[in-house]
Amino acid sequence: MRAAFSDALVSAAQANPKILLLTGDHGYALFDAFRRACPNQYINCGVAEQNMVGVAAGLARAGFRPVVYGLAAFVPVRVLEQIKIDICYEDLPVMLIGDGAGFVYSHLGASHQSMEDVAVTRPLPGLTILSPADRYEMAATMRLAFDTRGPVYLRMGKSDRGDVHGASLTLAPGKALKVRERNRKIVLIATGSMVHAAVNLVDAGMQADVWSVPSIKPLDTSALRDIGAGAQDIFVLEEHVVVGGLGSCVAESLTDLGTGTPRVHRIGVEDRFSAYCGTYEYLLSEHRLDTPTIRKRIEGILSSSGGVAA
């Protein structure tokens, strides 16, 4: 997925010399191809993320199209005020890339694990939030981001869980993508790395439809109405805190649609920090987001409510 990001960025910058890449002293190997192809469009702003966002805002006001890259724990979390005032208030066309979202920087502890980035950016007016699941969604979200006139935050999990789609695709703002179709009464809605987990559950026999949400904001409520039509239970899977993430988006949107909506169950990171450092797989297990535990959680909920998933 990171290779797809690099390819899309290089291609866009070669086609448009106004595209500038700003990094906070990160991503050297990732940007080797960019520096070779577009050396004059690369700016290392150093370990000064707040200043980097201000620089990006000034460049955008001067007619450039800045792409700001950092770890998700720092971009957007550390620089939230600068994003709000310097970029969103002015509705500037700045693309923010938060790499390593979720538990990927597992050994570095809570300072580098980013579980709240969607929750803190969702309220910012005019900010589009994208969260691709594989290389095909990455290419599609990059195209959508460059076609968007205002600010964009793209959440990129550094772990590559493999493809969930079989070919390139086109993404419309707010639209979800159907990945598997097994049972409309049980629906798994996921974003980022958790789409792969949802696909694994269904491919292992769980009877449920799977939808991927690469566009968290905007989120098309009419599309959610169609997904929820006839469903009894919707499970939202995300490598993010359950407060304010995709699960909250889905629950709020379906509530706004009125009566007759399905039950929504949020499966994500609970209201706590990681107890220990360790491997990425270990932290998924600690937070009950590994695939076997997700299956048990879903089956337990359905058993208590009389539903059947397998």
Side-chain angles (χ1 to χ4, degrees), residues 184-187 228 230-234 261-265 306-308:
R184 287 198 67 179
K185 292 188 179 297
I186 308 298
V187 177
Q232 294 178 348
D233 292 270
I234 291 178
T261 59
R263 295 180 291 260
V264 177
H265 312 278
V308 179

Side-chain angles (χ1 to χ4, degrees), residues 185-244:
K185 292 188 179 297
I186 308 298
V187 177
L188 308 181
I189 296 177
T191 190
S193 63
M194 287 292 107
V195 179
H196 193 265
V199 168
N200 283 344
L201 289 169
V202 171
D203 288 349
M206 180 175 287
Q207 298 301 300
D209 286 358
V210 177
W211 289 82
S212 174
V213 179
S215 176
I216 295 177
K217 182 186 176 183
L219 187 61
D220 191 331
T221 54
S222 64
L224 280 180
R225 181 190 295 112
D226 293 340
I227 293 170
Q232 294 178 348
D233 292 270
I234 291 178
F235 295 87
V236 184
L237 282 58
E238 56 189 321
E239 195 177 326
H240 184 277
V241 291
V242 294
V243 178

Side-chain angles (χ1 to χ4, degrees), residues 72-83:
F74 309 137
V75 178
V77 177
R78 175 179 290 175
V79 295
L80 187 64
E81 180 185 359
Q82 285 74 28
I83 294 172

